[in-house]
């Protein structure tokens, strides 16, 4: 341990949506659903999982948060083998809202704060991309806002765009889980040049539309031929939602990450929000799928706070402020 080490930190890390349609593995947006992680130097490693949502997640040293933290310490040449970790998450698991990216980013940010922030955010982004392979999710959870990024197996680069304040986000989160692995396995290993060009042009136009606030362009730009057509077979009702949500008030619609959550961008001033909700809910219900609908906003990235002796524990904070 070094004298720059602090005893206890708390991070708050947002969910993320990846791809935004055509920007496969390269566009992401932070969304205001959160996970919290408390991390402290300890005599013996303990992992406290608050709430039912994380049942089954390891609570020993095979825990992902613990392992990622140890990676940070090793990289910094610091030894903190025993940690006390508490976590709570309102981000649904394996639904396409970046829960694993948020865990990785949260663990990196917490461990880095514990060792006096030796690594820059850019360095954390490199580590997160190496671990997660999807810079769109980790970039969004780390930097917040809208992130345009690449990961080329060696390095990651990104630029954060400030989301237009008029953007609201409606997500329909189906009750079933879908692993990223399964959702990637249905995709071809090669694509036609015309489909590659289709995505390049649509993704570029989407970035330009988001960067300049030309919200009316989103419905033309938010279209994809690289992954959604293949993944539609895994999510009944998805193709109808992609084809028709624009008729019910959405600015654009996409599969959120690898799914199964569907995401619609909506003008915050729209008077058709209830109509859109009914369309999303009804279309999935026709396929026998019940879904939880949430209105979200783009938000800032991860934050870390140093905790002092006597600060309230995470369980208390969750009971008082999150679940209240
Ligand atoms: N961009 C990734 C995918 C996100 O669509 O497979 C997975 O988290």
């Amino acid at each position: 341990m070094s004298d720059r080490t602090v005893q206890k930190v708390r991070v708050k890390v947002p969910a993320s949506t990846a791809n935004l349609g055509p920007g496969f593995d390269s566009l992401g947006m932070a969304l205001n659903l959160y996970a919290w992680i408390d991390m402290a130097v300890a005599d013996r490693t303990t992992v406290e999982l608050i709430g039912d949502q994380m049942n089954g997640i390891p609570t020993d040293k095979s825990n992902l948060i613990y392992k990622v933290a140890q990676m940070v310490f090793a990289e910094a040449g610091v030894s903190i083998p025993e940690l006390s970790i508490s976590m709570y998450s309102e981000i649904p698991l394996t639904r396409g809202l970046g829960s694993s990216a948020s865990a990785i980013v949260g663990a990196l940010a917490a461990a880095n704060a514990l060792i006096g922030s030796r690594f820059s955010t850019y360095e954390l982004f490199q580590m997160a991309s190496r671990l997660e392979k999807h810079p769109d999710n980790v970039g969004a959870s780390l930097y917040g806002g809208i992130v345009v990024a690449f990961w080329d197996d060696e390095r990651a680069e990104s630029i954060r765009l400030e989301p237009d304040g008029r953007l609201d986000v409606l997500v329909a989160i189906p009750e079933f889980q879908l692993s990223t692995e399964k959702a990637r396995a249905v995709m071809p290993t090669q694509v036609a040049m015309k489909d590659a060009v289709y995505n390049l042009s649509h993704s570029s136009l989407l970035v330009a539309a988001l960067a300049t606030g030309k919200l009316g362009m989103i419905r033309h730009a938010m279209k994809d031929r690289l992954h959604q057509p293949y993944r539609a077979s895994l999510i009944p009702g998805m193709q109808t939602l992609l084809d028709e949500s624009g008729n019910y008030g959405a600015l654009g619609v996409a599969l959120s990450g690898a799914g199964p959550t569907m995401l619609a961008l909506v003008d915050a001033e729209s008077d058709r929000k209830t109509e859109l909700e009914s369309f999303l809910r009804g279309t999935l219900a026709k396929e026998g799928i019940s879904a939880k609908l949430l209105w979200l906003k783009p938000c800032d990235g991860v934050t870390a706070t140093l905790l002092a002796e006597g600060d309230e524990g995470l369980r208390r904070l969750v009971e008082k402020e999150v679940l209240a």
Side-chain angles (χ1 to χ4, degrees), residues 202 206 214-223 246 250-253:
H202 283 73
L206 181 59
K214 297 205 167 66
L215 302 189
M217 188 58 85
I218 292 175
R219 74 192 177 94
H220 300 296
M222 211 170 183
K223 298 211 163 105
L251 292 168
V253 63

Side-chain angles (χ1 to χ4, degrees), residues 167-189:
L167 278 184
D168 273 0
V169 180
L170 176 60
V171 290
I173 309 170
E175 62 197 343
F176 67 92
Q177 303 196 354
L178 176 59
S179 73
T180 299
E181 210 181 2
K182 193 169 169 198
R184 288 181 92 89
V186 292
M187 293 174 50
T189 51

Side-chain angles (χ1 to χ4, degrees), residues 18-19 24-25 132 134 136-137 180 184 227 231 257-258:
N19 306 328
F24 183 65
D25 281 357
E132 236 272 336
H134 307 133
D136 40 359
N137 280 119
T180 299
R184 288 181 92 89
H227 67 112
R231 289 171 162 175

Side-chain angles (χ1 to χ4, degrees), residues 15-21 31 33 90-99 137 169-180 183 222 227-228 231-232 234-239 241-242 245 253-265 280 284 289-296:
S16 59
T17 183
N19 306 328
L20 296 176
L31 294 173
L33 272 180
E90 56 186 17
I91 308 170
L93 303 182
T94 27
R95 299 298 211 291
L97 288 166
S99 58
N137 280 119
V169 180
L170 176 60
V171 290
I173 309 170
E175 62 197 343
F176 67 92
Q177 303 196 354
L178 176 59
S179 73
T180 299
M222 211 170 183
H227 67 112
Q228 292 182 166
R231 289 171 162 175
L234 301 172
I235 301 142
M238 170 176 160
Q239 197 57 52
L241 294 180
L242 291 178
S245 294
V253 63
L255 182 66
S256 181
T261 293
M262 296 297 299
L263 165 136
L265 298 184
L280 260 62
L284 291 168
I289 298 170
S290 69
K292 183 174 170 182
L293 265 56
L294 289 178
W295 282 98
L296 300 174

Side-chain angles (χ1 to χ4, degrees), residues 6 18 32 123 141 160 177 193 227 231 239 262 275 313:
V6 294
N32 64 337
E123 287 170 315
S141 279
R160 179 201 198 273
Q177 303 196 354
M193 177 60 93
H227 67 112
R231 289 171 162 175
Q239 197 57 52
M262 296 297 299
E275 196 185 334

Side-chain angles (χ1 to χ4, degrees), residues 31 33 78 97 136 188-189 199 235 237 269 273 277 307 317:
L31 294 173
L33 272 180
V78 173
L97 288 166
D136 40 359
T189 51
N199 267 63
I235 301 142
E269 302 281 295
K273 289 182 172 176
E277 282 178 18
L307 295 182
L317 173 103

Side-chain angles (χ1 to χ4, degrees), residues 15 25 60 68 89 94 96 98 108 115 121-122 127 135 138-139 170 177-178 182 191 211 214 217 221 281 283-284:
D25 281 357
D60 57 13
V68 172
S89 179
T94 27
L108 288 170
I115 56 168
T121 308
Y122 177 78
M127 293 182 210
V138 291
L170 176 60
Q177 303 196 354
L178 176 59
K182 193 169 169 198
V191 296
K214 297 205 167 66
M217 188 58 85
R281 203 188 298 282
T283 303
L284 291 168

